[in-house]
Amino acid sequence: MNKYLKQLVELNKYDKKLAELVPLEVNIKKPLTKLENKVKALTAKFEKLEEEIKNLILKKSKNELLISELKEKLNQIAEKSAKVKTAKEAKALALEEDLAKEQIESANEEIEKFEKMVELKKEEKEAIKKEIEQLEAEIIIVQAEIQSKLDVLEQQKQAIFESRDKLIKEMDQNIYKFYEKIKKWAGNTAVSPVKKQACMGCFMKINEKTYADVIKAEEIVTCPHCGRVLYIENEETE
């Protein structure tokens, strides 16, 4: 096999190995990611409850202010009642007094309702806080387990990077640039094997002459359909 072609096949294999490590890293981190997402969701729920409690306390305060205003109104009605001169005025003040008392009763019921809701939400908030604390403790344990696996993976990655960098330094830089140009659009299929006279990158059948040149492997041959570098897989390239 042509020296440059062999280097391209080897370089492409290094890139494929690096790409294969990406999902492995994601899978290793999955248990941690799952726990972190739970904490994130619970934290958002916790913050929402805090906001709801603030709004309920505000509504309670508004009703308390209303009761204060209505009590002041009742005092004023009492003062007016003491000076009333006609039955009509007395009846009007009585109606006004009854209405104010009804409003006070209604406001007190609202206050009681809001107090119960606040209490329930505080209990829910406390339960969420404990759940978050438990998850955070679990995260610390899982992080330690995951880190040891990531360290092993990082060592594998580093070994591939070192071999890849060494190969690149040995390569003709024009050949390397040529490879990188194809890789920009073809990714890790920039160098593709030929099987049953078809490019395994685009799966199109190549003509007899191109196929013969690929078999000879005396020079770099590209797919006439997609432009990927072609080669025949054998013991030398595996």
Side-chain angles (χ1 to χ4, degrees), residues 75-136:
N75 289 333
Q76 291 171 1
I77 291 170
E79 288 176 7
K80 288 179 182 178
S81 295
K83 299 174 185 179
V84 73
K85 292 179 180 179
T86 65
K88 187 177 180 182
E89 287 177 337
K91 188 176 179 181
L93 286 171
L95 287 171
E96 199 173 342
E97 183 182 18
D98 289 342
L99 179 61
K101 286 178 178 178
E102 284 177 8
Q103 288 176 322
I104 288 172
E105 187 180 351
S106 177
N108 276 321
E109 288 174 356
E110 286 291 290
I111 287 170
E112 189 179 348
K113 181 182 76 175
F114 293 141
E115 283 176 344
K116 286 180 181 177
M117 289 174 72
V118 166
E119 192 58 36
L120 287 171
K121 288 186 183 295
K122 281 183 177 179
E123 288 174 5
E124 189 178 353
K125 204 175 82 166
E126 190 59 32
I128 289 172
K129 184 183 176 183
K130 287 180 181 177
E131 192 174 351
I132 289 172
E133 287 171 354
Q134 288 172 354
L135 286 169
E136 285 176 340

Side-chain angles (χ1 to χ4, degrees), residues 16-34:
K16 282 181 179 178
K17 284 178 182 177
L18 287 171
E20 287 167 1
L21 293 180
V22 174
L24 284 177
E25 188 172 348
V26 172
N27 285 333
I28 289 172
K29 289 181 178 179
K30 262 185 182 178
L32 179 61
T33 304
K34 190 176 179 181

Side-chain angles (χ1 to χ4, degrees), residues 36-52 124-125 128-129 132 135-136:
E36 287 174 339
N37 286 340
K38 280 185 179 180
V39 169
K40 190 177 178 181
L42 286 169
T43 301
K45 194 174 180 182
F46 185 89
E47 289 171 354
K48 186 182 177 184
L49 282 169
E50 282 189 326
E51 191 62 32
E52 288 173 353
E124 189 178 353
K125 204 175 82 166
I128 289 172
K129 184 183 176 183
I132 289 172
L135 286 169
E136 285 176 340

Side-chain angles (χ1 to χ4, degrees), residues 167-181:
L167 175 62
I168 290 169
K169 287 174 184 176
E170 295 171 356
M171 290 176 70
D172 181 305
Q173 290 308 295
N174 288 326
I175 299 292
Y176 174 63
K177 287 176 184 176
F178 169 69
Y179 169 77
E180 285 295 317
K181 188 177 179 181

Side-chain angles (χ1 to χ4, degrees), residues 154-193:
E154 186 58 35
Q155 289 172 7
Q156 294 175 355
K157 194 187 294 184
Q158 193 58 40
I160 296 170
F161 271 122
E162 287 173 5
S163 298
R164 186 180 185 277
D165 289 342
K166 184 182 176 184
L167 175 62
I168 290 169
K169 287 174 184 176
E170 295 171 356
M171 290 176 70
D172 181 305
Q173 290 308 295
N174 288 326
I175 299 292
Y176 174 63
K177 287 176 184 176
F178 169 69
Y179 169 77
E180 285 295 317
K181 188 177 179 181
I182 299 173
K183 189 184 169 187
K184 280 182 181 178
W185 58 265
N188 293 322
T189 64
V191 181
S192 292

